[in-house]
Amino acid sequence: MTMKLRLPGRPEELTIPALLARNAAEHGDLPALSWREGDGWTTLDWTEVRRKVAVLASGYAALGIERGEHVLIMMGNRPEHWLTDLALVHLGAVPVTVYGTSAPEQTAHIARHSRARVAVLEGAGELARWEPLLADERVPLERLVVAEAAEAGPHRTYGSLHASGARTHRPEDFEKAWRETRPEDPLTVVYTSGTTGDPKGVRLTHRNIMLQAVRIDGRTDLPEHAEHICYLPFAHIAERILGIYLPLLRAAHVRLVADPAAVGAAVRELHPVQFFGVPRVWEKLAASVRAVLAQLPAAQRESIEAANDLARARAGHRERGERIPAALEASYARAKEQVLDPLLGLAGLDRLVWTASATAPMPIDVVRFWAGWGITIMDAWGLTETSGVCTINSPDGFRLGSVGRPIEGLELRLAEDGEILTRGATVFAGYLRPDGSVESAHDAEGWFPTGDVGRLDEDGFLWLTDRKKELIITSNGKNVSPALVENTVKEHPLIGQALVHGDGRSYLVALLVLDGEVAPAWAAARGIEAGPLDRLAEHPAVRAEIAAAVDAANARLNRTEQIKRYRLLTEEWGPATGELTPSLKLRRRVVREKYGALIDALYDDPHEEPRRTAPE
């Protein structure tokens, strides 16, 4: 970061309200928050943001919200959500965002567990899920606030709450309230996505989050007042850090994208200098580029591939900490200007200086693909329980395929079984109990077991293996990382998604999902008539290519890791259908339950020597 901002205190003493006060006083005319309205953007500067936060805080106070109280929020990435979050924090209340895709039983669990009396919702879709909870004697919920006034029915509207705040606002009360906030006070509770059971409430303090933000900021190098395109759910720790807390630290500019499906259009319009995407987002972007490349003339593809080779060679020197040869630098600069940037510009990716990913192991072929375009994805790793990032790659030290080195002040060590343990000031104190107390999740020496398995190399870079609970243990006692096998087979562009199964079995089988963007382009380039995906999946050429992709993956895997049989599917998995979490991580249990009959059929005769079945 080139803009040297004054911190209103030492990093460990910072609070969110103190940062907002500084931004309004010292950077008040800079744009802070923008969102789509009609064909354009509406923008608030930092002075206007603080003014609105103060009025909203008065409105929520008039509603009876008190210090330390949990308030639930289920809205998309819209200004009412962002501003409500900050208004509650200024009262000393604790905002708790709930995933919009949460199952009814998960929503009910969070409502009971958090003891919240108030929930702030977007509209009719959310009301249908929350209104029954008002009559549930086990749920303390008393009142709903609705952003969409026309859909609020008998419930309080966000607009009326804001109007109430404008009438009752007393600046002296607002200033007094936020100044009572201490670094050790809770800032938010983030519930885990519940992939293996009920969501757990992770309570994070101002100190946890502020130290996290300061340390991430120290590992990145961004232009002054860089824009952040905010499209991931605020219920996920990554977007809370990137879309709320880091922009407050940096006095930066947040662009809210309400529909995650519209993020590509926003990137094409805005040409951001920074972009964060979970692995599935980077995979989809790579698939889109590959689909376009497949339809270009051979001569143009060769020119692009030559430029890709130069970019990857340059990235290799940087990765090894070597001086880039002058001739290579000059050749790359020409290729970037003449070949890469014009094409990247069509997708809005030509100004990127910082790109990152986290939440799940990044397929190395995707990392290498983007390195060929001059885009080095700085992969990171962390958990909700660690306030976000534990390790991160940075421009001054990275290894493609690793998740980087620990941030300042965080310790790592590996248990005997390879599980990663961590401790430090950014690690949470414990999980929220139903009575509001906190249950420690650390051992006697303060180490927190992350549930992830990995290895540390001689230079201190961490390489993830998989989630400990997701490791496959075959019937002969061998441990297999499903993510490793899945990412290997997904290196073929026709395979968009994969799930490997084999726990308690003698061999592995897989469900493979045909990539809906790449497959039609791949077929067209080979003179195959494009049609519905299910028909395309039956074409002999596609079947043969998928079989070759599995063979190629198996050739790189050891015997235990090899896929013996598979089934090819054509319906993409996603959050709406339940196979992915809202942060686009695979819900293995859901997939196994949904496709249990298909998986069982791949083990049709346990006495028969396994062979790969043709895709169906």
Side-chain angles (χ1 to χ4, degrees):
M1 184 178 68
T2 57
M3 182 169 58
K4 301 300 181 184
L5 299 179
R6 180 191 66 84
L7 291 181
R10 294 184 300 174
E12 64 273 15
E13 297 173 344
L14 295 177
T15 65
I16 287 296
L19 288 179
L20 183 56
R22 178 209 61 182
N23 290 353
E26 300 177 17
H27 311 283
D29 59 347
L30 291 176
L33 186 69
S34 296
W35 63 94
R36 277 281 188 194
E37 283 194 337
D39 295 331
W41 293 88
T42 296
T43 298
L44 300 177
D45 62 29
W46 282 109
T47 297
E48 293 167 323
V49 161
R50 192 166 193 266
R51 187 180 301 126
K52 282 190 174 291
V53 165
V55 168
L56 275 174
S58 298
Y60 282 110
L63 200 64
I65 301 299
E66 298 176 352
R67 177 171 292 277
E69 183 173 356
H70 296 147
V71 177
L72 302 174
I73 306 173
M74 184 182 275
M75 288 190 278
N77 293 21
R78 51 190 292 162
E80 296 92 339
H81 192 160
W82 202 86
L83 294 167
T84 286
D85 200 290
L86 291 182
L88 294 170
V89 168
H90 278 70
L91 287 178
V94 184
V96 183
T97 298
V98 184
Y99 284 116
T101 56
S102 294
E105 59 271 18
Q106 290 177 320
T107 302
H109 168 77
I110 293 171
R112 286 193 303 271
H113 188 268
S114 67
R115 300 168 295 113
R117 295 184 301 114
V118 176
V120 187
L121 311 177
E122 183 158 334
E126 291 72 29
L127 272 175
R129 284 183 278 173
W130 287 84
E131 280 183 321
L133 297 178
L134 291 171
D136 191 332
E137 294 181 354
R138 300 167 300 170
V139 177
L141 197 64
E142 299 173 0
R143 177 169 288 179
L144 305 178
V145 177
V146 183
E148 295 290 349
E151 301 174 3
H155 304 288
R156 187 71 180 269
T157 67
Y158 174 91
S160 70
L161 187 141
H162 187 278
S164 171
R167 290 193 302 271
T168 61
H169 177 61
R170 295 179 58 186
E172 61 274 20
D173 291 343
F174 173 73
E175 299 295 337
K176 180 178 183 294
W178 78 256
R179 291 183 187 280
E180 292 176 357
T181 300
R182 299 291 176 260
E184 61 272 17
D185 290 344
L187 170 59
T188 187
V189 171
V190 180
Y191 278 86
T192 60
S193 55
T195 55
T196 58
D198 284 335
K200 295 180 179 180
V202 177
R203 193 178 78 170
L204 300 171
T205 66
H206 288 261
R207 179 173 289 130
N208 290 147
I209 293 297
M210 288 294 88
L211 287 174
Q212 171 79 193
V214 168
R215 289 165 182 177
I216 292 176
D217 186 61
R219 297 287 289 272
T220 59
D221 186 16
L222 286 170
E224 185 173 307
H225 198 61
E227 290 184 338
H228 169 67
I229 295 178
C230 174
Y231 67 98
L232 292 172
F234 284 126
H236 194 280
I237 187 61
E239 196 64 274
R240 294 198 74 77
I241 295 291
L242 296 171
I244 303 177
Y245 307 133
L246 262 175
L248 278 157
L249 177 70
R250 293 169 166 165
H253 184 189
V254 177
R255 296 267 191 175
L256 297 174
V257 176
D259 179 6
V263 66
V267 171
R268 286 192 295 274
E269 175 189 357
L270 299 172
H271 295 254
V273 296
Q274 64 169 335
F275 185 75
F276 176 88
V278 296
R280 185 61 185 151
V281 168
W282 287 111
E283 289 175 4
K284 293 289 286 182
L285 288 171
S288 299
V289 174
R290 283 168 169 151
V292 172
L293 294 178
Q295 301 185 55
L296 295 178
Q300 189 174 359
R301 287 202 307 272
E302 290 174 4
S303 174
I304 294 169
E305 289 168 3
N308 293 156
D309 289 342
L310 290 170
R312 274 189 281 269
R314 181 178 182 273
H317 285 286
R318 291 182 60 213
E319 184 177 9
R320 295 186 294 272
E322 300 169 351
R323 181 176 176 275
I324 301 171
L328 173 60
E329 189 67 63
S331 296
Y332 168 73
R334 286 193 298 271
K336 183 177 188 301
E337 179 182 1
Q338 298 171 11
V339 180
L340 299 180
D341 281 354
L343 293 171
L344 288 171
L346 298 175
L349 303 175
D350 53 317
R351 296 178 60 233
L352 289 173
V353 298
W354 184 79
T355 50
S357 184
T359 76
M362 172 73 88
I364 188 61
D365 75 301
V366 177
V367 176
R368 298 290 182 191
F369 174 84
W370 287 111
W373 290 84
I375 295 175
T376 305
I377 299 173
M378 298 298 175
D379 209 357
W381 165 76
L383 301 90
T384 305
E385 291 88 341
T386 60
S387 308
V389 164
C390 285
T391 63
I392 188 171
N393 284 286
S394 59
D396 60 354
F398 65 91
R399 296 288 185 275
L400 297 181
S402 83
V403 291
R405 291 184 285 206
I407 61 172
E408 179 188 353
L410 196 82
E411 297 178 81
L412 292 183
R413 72 177 177 87
L414 301 181
E416 289 185 5
D417 61 359
E419 183 175 8
I420 307 164
L421 310 180
T422 185
R423 67 181 178 186
T426 54
V427 181
F428 79 141
Y431 294 108
L432 189 70
R433 293 190 179 105
D435 64 1
S437 62
V438 170
E439 179 181 2
S440 174
H442 306 75
D443 67 15
E445 297 179 345
W447 292 100
F448 170 66
T450 65
D452 282 326
V453 177
R455 64 179 177 86
L456 286 164
D457 67 19
E458 59 186 13
D459 296 317
F461 287 88
L462 180 66
W463 301 75
L464 288 187
T465 302
D466 215 325
R467 290 291 294 168
K468 185 176 178 179
K469 290 181 179 179
E470 293 179 353
L471 288 176
I472 293 171
I473 303 177
T474 64
S475 59
N476 57 8
K478 300 290 187 180
N479 285 6
V480 176
S481 163
L484 169 67
V485 180
E486 290 155 2
N487 285 343
T488 301
V489 76
K490 285 194 303 179
E491 289 188 16
H492 194 290
L494 276 181
I495 301 174
Q497 295 170 299
L499 175 130
V500 171
H501 179 80
D503 210 43
R505 301 282 195 164
S506 60
Y507 59 89
L508 303 187
V509 300
L511 300 177
L512 309 177
V513 181
L514 194 64
D515 192 288
E517 292 185 59
V518 172
W522 183 92
R526 288 155 180 81
I528 300 171
E529 181 180 353
L533 275 186
D534 55 353
R535 190 183 308 163
L536 196 56
E538 296 173 357
H539 194 282
V542 175
R543 292 159 67 99
E545 188 70 15
I546 294 295
V550 174
D551 287 341
N554 282 342
R556 295 168 50 198
L557 299 166
N558 67 43
R559 183 179 178 83
T560 304
E561 296 167 338
Q562 291 173 356
I563 298 169
K564 305 302 184 188
R565 294 191 173 107
Y566 63 88
R567 178 73 177 261
L568 185 62
L569 310 176
T570 55
E571 293 293 328
E572 183 175 352
W573 300 330
T577 48
E579 301 92 352
L580 302 186
T581 70
S583 59
L584 306 184
K585 290 187 287 189
L586 192 62
R587 280 194 168 116
R588 298 181 184 279
R589 177 182 56 80
V590 172
V591 176
R592 284 193 295 263
E593 290 176 356
K594 186 172 183 177
Y595 297 96
L598 293 183
I599 292 172
D600 289 343
L602 294 171
Y603 293 103
D604 54 0
D605 187 351
H607 303 293
E608 182 183 357
E609 177 66 21
R611 66 184 185 279
R612 187 184 63 246
T613 63
E616 300 177 17

